[in-house]
Amino acid sequence: MKELIQVKNLSKTFSLSAKQQKIEGTREKRKTAVKGLSFTAYEGEIFGLLGPNGAGKTTTLRMLATLIRPDSGDAIIDGSSVLSDAEEVRKKIAFLTTDLKLEGFFTPNYLFDFFSELYHVPKETIKERKEMLFRTFGIDKFAEVKVANLSTGMKQKVSLSISLVHWPNVIIFDEPTNGLDVLTAKVVTDFLLELKNQGKTVIVSTHIFSLIEKVCDRVGVIINGEMAVCDSLKQVQAGMALEDRFFEIYKESVGDTDE
Amino acid sequence: MNNSVLTIMKKELARFFGDKKVVFSTILLPGLMIFILYSFMGSAITSQYTVEEDYKAGCYIKNLPDDDTLQMMLNENFSFHTVSSDEEIKQAKKKLQQKETDLCVVFPENFMENIAEVFPVTSNALPPEVQIFYNSSETASETAYQTMSGILNEFEGILSNRFDINKSDGVAYDLAKKEDMVGSIFSSMLPMLLLIFLFSGTLAVTPESIAGEKERGTIATLLVTPVKRSHIAIGKILALSIIALLSGASSTVGTILSLPKLMAGAGELDGAVYSVTDYLLLALVILSTVLVLVTALSLISAYAKSIKEAQTFATPLMILLMLVGITAMFGTGAKEELYYYCIPAYNSVQSMVRIFQFDVTTNTILVTVASNIVVTFAGMFVLTKMFQSERIIG
Ligand SMILES: Nc1ncnc2c1ncn2[C@@H]1O[C@H](COP(=O)(O)OP(=O)(O)OP(=O)(O)O)[C@@H](O)[C@H]1O
Ligand SMILES: [Mg+2]
């Protein structure tokens, strides 16, 4: 199997403003969100990043998507380095996270065309792909409604389909089912499996155990910015329910540290 | 032009023109407001200092001479009552004080007989005296006084016609050119006004487009696409410049149309004295100025965390621009030294002064436009770097 995504020793430290220090309940001026994180995702698999709030999942994925630069380490995505070849990486991936908003003034239809043009997708392909994605997520009914007037779940569906305008081989989704009801969440998880069937490589981050159990081939558990365990789902579970196993892992790794 | 730049521009323009209210308030409203305001101010000023044309001043006259020519001249300009007693004159003066009438004239008795005699300047005997009472705190009375003195002087001239002044028709005695007047008024007022209009147009859209996108998290969505940061910067600056230009154009048209009314007291003000070339050069200067303003505000907006912050940061810039604009009102014409035309904003003001004073030189315009374009490119470069910085965007 081809190692499509290689993450090597990624680290990221943020400097905290006074306000952020208060929120974090710390007097430290700096916060290391990701510490020497490494993992590999193989072509055609769904890789899950599991971790509690603040573990560093979003920060890791933002580095993979070239939105922020790692302080040290590198990641190679389908042969391109996030450090030296950011533009190439951006062409090869789809990235979805709650921080990426769509302009409320425009309709899903307009935005789909706009982003397709930015990726230089040919005109006929745009039309076909839009029909397919809008049908999958039921967006056709509100394709001409301004995004500002859509519900959270509808917005998430639109963001999802727009992140795929260029139909890339690597798909990086941060909490793709967040804020969705069970029906819509199922549409999304089914869609992730469909992407896998089409040979795409998918990385999802989540703190929802059932999502990992349903779709992931392999999983990495992040705690406090470090990779606690990273293996196939079966190996990580070790015959237990993922949730129970997670608490064990959590205890082990937090026990490991100075607390 | 590059495809992505065009796509970004198209989206910016669609965002702006898709919102009818915003279009109305940034493009139509400024021009309309300025036109109405200036026209209103103009007519208010005019009516304060002039008297209506068909108004005939009221006038009391004692001992009106029995002369047809004089009476005809008076009839044309005054509606007058003749009185005979001193008591009536006393009453008339009271009315004058209370602004109920405009003038009160007392001729000496036997005026026509007495003036037949010639009084050489050297003689001790005094000629008959006409007294005109008026009230200078009332414009109509003041004007009536001028008219009456004029009529009497003319009448005196008719009686002893030794020579005339400026009597022949069809000779232009006033040699001041219409251009000089228009030039001095336009060149002292318009540069500052134009600079402010262009800046407010820019301020209406730039923070919204850059700081606003940051604030709402929509710029990050753009940044995960493979579009070059420089293309985003160029696309935004060009689209915003088009909008700012339209807004500035509307204010300018409003001003030029209403300026003649505002300056009504100063005679005829007509923008038609400028040639097409003058207007084209003006457009060139304005265009390059808009690029500089949009770039400056884009940088401020990219640095700011929110629209509000961007607007706050822009206030000192606005004050600075006003001060630079005011320099056009003072001093003796435009600067000659070319290096003045390298300073953004100041170079625009100086170039506009030259254009309005019919004093354009190719060099100054070239240096102005070139240095503005250089500044714009430098700004685009910095903006690109800012879009790459996670401290700004992250
Ligand atoms: N821009 C930033 N500035 C300062 N601190 C940050 C920044 N981004 C993230 N952090 C901090 O880094 C840590 C990891 O955050 P991150 O968002 O990666 O966690 P997460 O695993 O995605 O959590 P969640 O499940 O809540 O989304 C947190 O403590 C967070 O406060
Ligand atoms: Mg997160």
Side-chain angles (χ1 to χ4, degrees), chain A:
Chain A
M1 267 188 296
K2 194 176 163 196
E3 297 184 341
L4 205 67
I5 298 165
Q6 296 158 283
V7 177
K8 303 174 198 165
N9 255 315
L10 278 190
S11 295
K12 183 73 189 178
T13 301
F14 293 108
S15 38
L16 297 180
S17 64
K19 211 170 160 190
Q20 282 170 315
Q21 285 178 30
K22 231 182 189 170
I23 296 169
E24 298 268 327
T26 167
R27 308 192 119 250
E28 305 270 317
K29 282 232 157 50
R30 301 170 71 73
K31 160 91 194 174
T32 303
V34 176
K35 300 168 201 162
L37 198 80
S38 302
F39 67 89
T40 303
Y42 296 96
E43 185 164 25
E45 74 171 5
I46 302 185
F47 182 92
L49 273 182
L50 179 66
N53 292 139
K57 303 181 295 293
T58 302
T59 307
T60 305
L61 297 188
R62 276 159 61 87
M63 286 190 278
L64 296 188
T66 75
L67 266 181
I68 52 176
R69 263 178 92 83
D71 299 332
S72 63
D74 194 359
I76 310 295
I77 296 179
D78 198 2
S80 308
S81 152
V82 295
L83 287 185
S84 57
D85 223 355
E87 210 180 303
E88 228 15 68
V89 170
R90 279 182 232 130
K91 282 184 192 159
K92 290 176 176 173
I93 63 163
F95 182 51
L96 179 78
T97 175
T98 43
D99 305 336
L100 303 186
K101 300 279 175 13
L102 294 174
E103 272 185 78
F105 179 79
F106 293 111
T107 64
N109 192 15
Y110 181 93
L111 287 171
F112 195 97
D113 293 348
F114 171 65
F115 282 101
S116 299
E117 271 180 50
L118 289 183
Y119 283 98
H120 305 300
V121 182
K123 277 240 153 52
E124 317 82 66
T125 320
I126 298 179
K127 202 166 166 263
E128 264 169 52
R129 206 168 274 160
K130 184 161 62 182
E131 268 171 28
M132 186 269 288
L133 285 167
F134 278 18
R135 197 171 348 100
T136 306
F137 295 106
I139 297 171
D140 10 22
K141 280 160 265 154
F142 50 86
E144 293 300 340
V145 180
K146 283 187 181 180
V147 168
N149 298 332
L150 299 179
S151 74
T152 317
M154 287 159 147
K155 277 184 195 144
Q156 175 80 345
K157 288 189 223 175
V158 176
S159 292
L160 226 147
S161 62
I162 284 177
S163 74
L164 293 167
V165 288
H166 53 311
W167 208 239
N169 281 325
V170 177
I171 289 151
I172 301 173
F173 282 171
D174 186 25
E175 321 247 13
T177 57
N178 237 17
L180 299 182
D181 62 38
V182 281
L183 293 173
T184 322
K186 179 155 167 40
V187 174
V188 174
T189 44
D190 289 349
F191 186 69
L192 289 177
L193 291 169
E194 167 65 22
L195 288 172
K196 178 188 158 177
N197 282 340
Q198 297 202 12
K200 311 266 180 215
T201 309
V202 182
I203 296 186
V204 288
S205 90
T206 187
H207 50 247
I208 302 168
F209 301 107
S210 61
L211 177 66
I212 300 270
E213 284 174 323
K214 254 179 239 154
V215 302
C216 290
D217 301 294
R218 295 184 337 110
V219 57
V221 179
I222 305 189
I223 289 161
N224 284 331
E226 287 174 293
M227 191 64 90
V229 182
C230 179
D231 212 327
S232 72
L233 181 61
K234 272 231 174 71
Q235 293 287 327
V236 172
Q237 279 181 306
M240 301 165 68
L242 186 59
E243 188 170 348
D244 300 332
R245 180 68 188 119
F246 173 78
F247 289 121
E248 275 188 20
I249 296 169
Y250 188 76
K251 252 181 229 154
E252 280 165 29
S253 62
V254 173
D256 276 345
T257 62
D258 36 4
E259 279 183 74

